[in-house]
Amino acid sequence: MNTSLVRKLIVEFIGTFFLVYVIGCVSLQEHVLLGPLAIGASLMVMIFAGGHISGAHYNPAVTLGVWIRGACTTREAGFYLVAQAIGAIVAALAAGFLLGHGSPAASTATAAQVILAEALGTFALVYTVLNVATAPATAGNSFYGLAIGFTVFAQAVAVGKVSGGAFNPAVAIGVAVLGLANGANLWIYWLSEFLGAGIAACLFLVVNQEKPHGPAVASHDRAQEQTNQSIGAV
């Protein structure tokens, strides 16, 4: 494993850790003011912090979308999934240590409703990520972290009471470790989230009608291009 990939995996672990950590702490406390905003904000700042290194996926569904889009290799995607899952588990253990473990909230939502809510929310998230962080037309923008964070915030507010608003298989793992969701139901979240991500990536390719990037994370490529331009101007 090369040094560059190790650095990316460390960033993916850190970003996923703090996202799931905030979600866990918010979920374990009652009546947290602006909980969805805190979650969206934590994702936003972690994206700005690590986007130039790993692409700041912090979400296996996003990694799937980026892989389908052609912006990362199969090997890299596989390692990303492992780093994200470990980050989620460690974050859940940390949140549980601080605030204790919870129990699944009573819900009247059916499996079909949860699948639809999670699939649509993940679709919106991955579609946004691909357009603001990997499309050539938006290269060099400085708003991608804000756009992605607010997408999570908006979707969490919209369907949080239906599905919990995970939109992220790693988050689903963390919530299950904390006892806030039934581990036997994880397949519902994984199925819907990966499905939403796959559809988003395919539609992105159809709408943009362009050749995918080479096997690298788009935001890292963008930073390298900007560096090369600066060097060339000297």
Side-chain angles (χ1 to χ4, degrees), residues 55-81:
H57 299 184
Y58 312 145
N59 183 336
V62 169
T63 297
L64 174 66
V66 172
W67 176 76
I68 292 173
R69 189 252 187 276
C72 73
T73 66
T74 301
R75 177 173 180 268
E76 189 172 65
F79 279 114
Y80 270 41
L81 297 182

Side-chain angles (χ1 to χ4, degrees), residues 17-104:
F17 173 90
F18 280 104
L19 172 61
V20 176
Y21 173 75
V22 170
I23 291 173
C25 289
V26 167
S27 300
L28 288 169
Q29 301 177 72
E30 295 183 3
H31 310 301
V32 174
L33 183 64
L34 301 179
L37 182 58
I39 293 167
S42 69
L43 176 59
M44 177 188 70
V45 298
M46 285 295 110
I47 288 172
F48 281 125
H52 63 291
I53 298 174
S54 73
H57 299 184
Y58 312 145
N59 183 336
V62 169
T63 297
L64 174 66
V66 172
W67 176 76
I68 292 173
R69 189 252 187 276
C72 73
T73 66
T74 301
R75 177 173 180 268
E76 189 172 65
F79 279 114
Y80 270 41
L81 297 182
V82 173
Q84 292 157 358
I86 295 174
I89 293 171
V90 176
L93 294 175
F97 177 77
L98 292 176
L99 297 168
H101 287 66
S103 57

Side-chain angles (χ1 to χ4, degrees), residues 110-171:
T110 65
Q113 289 173 320
V114 171
I115 289 173
L116 181 60
E118 287 294 309
L120 289 176
T122 308
F123 174 94
L125 173 59
V126 175
Y127 185 73
T128 299
V129 169
L130 294 178
N131 276 286
V132 302
T134 78
T138 57
N141 76 80
S142 59
F143 62 78
Y144 63 94
L146 187 63
I148 296 167
F150 264 89
T151 300
V152 170
F153 168 57
Q155 293 301 317
V157 171
V159 297
K161 290 186 177 180
V162 177
S163 66
F167 319 129
N168 183 333
V171 168

